[in-house]
Amino acid sequence: MELVIKGIYKHFKGKYYIVEDIALDSETLEEVVVYRQLYGDHKLFIRKKEMFLSLVDKEKYPNVTQKYRFELIRED
């Protein structure tokens, strides 16, 4: 799955986020996703790109119907 900068994503638990950009971890140069919650106080978060794009753990969350941890719902 390709990551869309400025795309609106739905987390499998139901909240919405916008991807602000991709950044590099200064120690490892691993790509991380910079994203902002679209509710509350609009906090900014980072998460490893690999984890952001990962599948939902169906053993841990068997009732979740969403396939990926974050799914693109709108491109801006």
Side-chain angles (χ1 to χ4, degrees):
M1 180 165 62
E2 186 177 328
L3 189 71
V4 176
I5 306 302
K6 301 300 181 197
I8 306 295
Y9 284 80
K10 180 182 177 189
H11 187 266
F12 74 93
K13 292 183 179 177
K15 303 282 185 164
Y16 294 90
Y17 301 84
I18 185 167
V19 170
E20 299 285 1
D21 214 338
I22 301 274
L24 297 176
D25 181 297
S26 63
E27 299 283 326
T28 65
L29 299 181
E30 184 176 12
E31 290 186 319
V32 294
V33 179
V34 180
Y35 61 105
R36 184 177 304 279
Q37 65 186 27
L38 294 176
Y39 58 92
D41 58 3
H42 300 278
K43 288 182 182 172
L44 195 61
F45 294 93
I46 63 168
R47 183 184 293 259
K48 292 180 182 182
K49 184 178 176 185
E50 180 179 307
M51 182 182 272
F52 190 93
L53 297 174
S54 68
L55 296 170
V56 172
D57 182 345
K58 293 296 186 172
E59 288 184 27
K60 190 172 180 181
Y61 302 100
N63 297 325
V64 171
T65 58
Q66 190 165 306
K67 183 176 181 178
Y68 292 97
R69 178 180 298 271
F70 289 90
E71 288 190 354
L72 181 66
I73 60 159
R74 192 176 90 219
E75 293 184 45
D76 276 352

